Amino acid sequence: MAWTKYQLFLAGLMLTTGSLNTLSAKWADLFSAKGCHDVPEHNFSHPFVQAVGMFLGELSCLAVFYILLCHDRRSPEPRINPGESFNPLLFFPPAMCDMTATSIMYVALNMTSASSFQMLRGAVIIFTGLLSVAFLGRRLLPSQWLGIFVTILGLVIVGLADFFSGHKDDSHKLSDIVTGDLLIIMAQIIVSVQMVLEEKFVYRHNIHPLKAVGTEGFFGFFVLSLLLIPMYFIPVGDFADNPRHVLEDALDAFCQIGHKPLILLALLGNTVSIAFFNFAGISVTKEISATTRMVLDSLRTLVIWVVSLALGWEQFHGLQVLGFLVLLLGTGLYNGLHRPVMARIPCCAGMLDTEEEQNSPEERERLLGDGKVQTGDES
């Protein structure tokens, strides 16, 4: 069935804003400007300030939810289900996981390329699958186990591409690239814990996805904003690329923005894009399907890679293309994207039936159809 204009708009919005989210964050990292008290020009390296901006974008989803709800209640036939009342503290543990993982990933983005950053985030399905088996009592389908192993292979290929390109990259040292890649993978472990916590304690309640994203954004924004104060006084040596060599120098960030206002445009691009991306992603799941959302999320990796090459932010490497294709295959297998194709092939239909018999209908729905763990931040 052909998509409606609204569905095409939502798909385009999700792909565009999802790509802009990573690209704007990397753009901010590429700026250099003077700091406070006439400190000489230096790189804009403020990952925790960027993470605060990202959570501000998530927090805005809460405002969008109440605006839509207010508008819906004025209509003759309200269609939005506001969901049941809940204890907001329910979102505090997953929000802290989100805050930690996002901060680590922004640190890593300073060290590696935007395309590798996005590709390596595919590692999340490995840890989510393993943790769901250990703590949620899931039984993964054979195709999902295969998807996990294929994803591991794809991560190895992308890592090798970064290793070989690191010898030719003047903007990043090889040690920084390797450290950045490892930090991204480590962050995916924390993201997986967040997803398991959300599924175990949050999604048993009937909560509107925009309200869920906004509530997590609320906790992430205010807690991380408060943590910027002690971070200003914590020395970390050469690990921090700011003049005072502290964990985060927010005052230096504001001074650099004052000297080069374009940095603010990049930060606003990150904040606004994450809000629209979450809204578009939730709407795509509702109006089209969770499978379409997975495909679009994979396509934004390709967009980020192509744009980074076009802007000269990184060099072309054949291994990275192979790594992307392998990661795409692994993600597709894990999320069941192969099933509609195999169902049309007579010799493969029996294999699908055998696979389905291993799980109850409820289990299959949770594994393949609900997309619930995708309603949170996907920056």
Side-chain angles (χ1 to χ4, degrees):
M1 188 173 68
W3 285 4
T4 64
K5 290 182 178 180
Y6 180 59
Q7 288 174 330
L8 286 171
F9 167 75
L10 289 175
L13 182 66
M14 180 183 169
L15 185 60
T16 303
T17 55
S19 303
L20 280 175
N21 183 250
T22 298
L23 291 169
S24 59
K26 187 62 182 179
W27 186 34
D29 292 340
L30 296 175
F31 280 107
S32 60
K34 291 181 179 180
C36 301
H37 310 297
D38 293 325
V39 172
E41 189 170 295
H42 54 281
N43 291 334
F44 184 84
S45 179
H46 299 284
F48 297 98
V49 171
Q50 286 181 284
V52 168
M54 192 277 294
F55 282 113
L56 180 60
E58 283 193 13
L59 175 58
S60 66
C61 289
L62 204 57
V64 171
F65 167 74
Y66 284 112
I67 291 171
L68 291 175
L69 185 63
C70 182
H71 181 267
D72 183 67
R73 285 176 174 174
R74 292 178 181 177
S75 63
E77 298 181 2
R79 293 183 297 174
I80 296 178
N81 177 14
E84 63 186 63
S85 59
F86 62 96
N87 183 355
L89 291 176
L90 200 65
F91 285 92
F92 188 78
M96 293 304 97
C97 290
D98 191 5
M99 182 190 74
T100 306
T102 300
S103 300
I104 291 173
M105 284 191 283
Y106 278 128
V107 171
L109 188 56
N110 268 297
M111 301 177 172
T112 190
S113 65
S115 60
S116 293
F117 169 84
Q118 195 65 39
M119 290 181 194
L120 291 172
R121 292 179 67 181
V124 69
I125 68 170
I126 300 171
F127 305 111
T128 302
L130 296 177
L131 289 176
S132 66
V133 170
F135 296 102
L136 299 178
R138 293 284 176 78
R139 287 186 300 167
L140 297 183
L141 301 172
S143 60
Q144 290 180 305
W145 283 113
L146 179 60
I148 287 175
F149 287 118
V150 171
T151 300
I152 293 173
L153 176 61
L155 293 173
V156 171
I157 295 172
V158 172
L160 286 173
D162 281 349
F163 179 79
F164 291 124
S165 63
H167 294 286
K168 306 174 183 177
D169 191 350
D170 297 329
S171 58
H172 298 290
K173 294 188 295 185
L174 178 59
S175 58
D176 286 346
I177 293 174
V178 173
T179 303
D181 288 355
L182 292 175
L183 284 174
I184 295 167
I185 293 174
M186 184 175 75
Q188 302 320 300
I189 300 175
I190 302 172
V191 172
S192 302
V193 173
Q194 174 196 348
M195 290 181 172
V196 170
L197 286 173
E198 286 175 343
E199 180 127 4
K200 191 171 181 66
F201 299 110
V202 175
Y203 290 118
R204 64 175 63 177
H205 302 276
N206 180 21
I207 303 171
H208 193 280
L210 277 177
K211 195 174 184 179
V213 172
T215 305
E216 284 192 12
F218 171 84
F219 286 120
F221 175 77
F222 283 104
V223 171
L224 191 54
S225 295
L226 289 174
L227 287 177
L228 289 179
I229 299 172
M231 287 179 183
Y232 184 79
F233 300 99
I234 300 174
V236 292
D238 292 335
F239 182 76
D241 191 17
N242 57 65
R244 296 178 58 248
H245 297 289
V246 292
L247 190 56
E248 180 60 282
D249 191 342
L251 292 180
D252 181 65
F254 294 132
C255 289
Q256 286 190 288
I257 292 170
H259 284 111
K260 188 161 287 188
L262 265 179
I263 299 175
L264 181 60
L265 180 62
L267 296 178
L268 285 175
N270 187 34
T271 300
V272 173
S273 63
I274 191 63
F276 279 99
F277 177 66
N278 277 295
F279 170 75
I282 292 165
S283 300
V284 165
T285 302
K286 179 183 176 182
E287 298 289 337
I288 309 175
S289 69
T291 301
T292 302
R293 186 175 182 176
M294 300 288 183
V295 172
L296 291 171
D297 198 45
S298 298
L299 283 177
R300 71 174 175 137
T301 302
L302 180 62
V303 172
I304 290 166
W305 181 60
V306 170
V307 172
S308 296
L309 287 173
L311 294 174
W313 290 358
E314 56 186 273
Q315 297 177 344
F316 177 83
H317 201 292
L319 266 181
Q320 204 170 37
V321 180
L322 178 61
F324 169 71
L325 293 174
V326 174
L327 284 172
L328 194 64
L329 176 62
T331 303
L333 286 169
Y334 184 85
N335 290 299
L337 302 185
H338 64 291
R339 299 174 69 82
V341 177
M342 291 183 65
R344 297 180 180 181
I345 304 174
C347 61
C348 298
M351 294 171 60
L352 289 179
D353 294 336
T354 303
E355 190 176 62
E356 287 182 353
E357 288 171 1
Q358 297 180 11
N359 292 291
S360 65
E362 294 81 6
E363 190 78 8
R364 289 197 299 273
E365 182 182 357
R366 287 202 304 267
L367 287 167
L368 297 174
D370 58 12
K372 281 183 177 178
V373 297
Q374 299 295 327
T375 58
D377 159 49
E378 295 179 54
S379 60

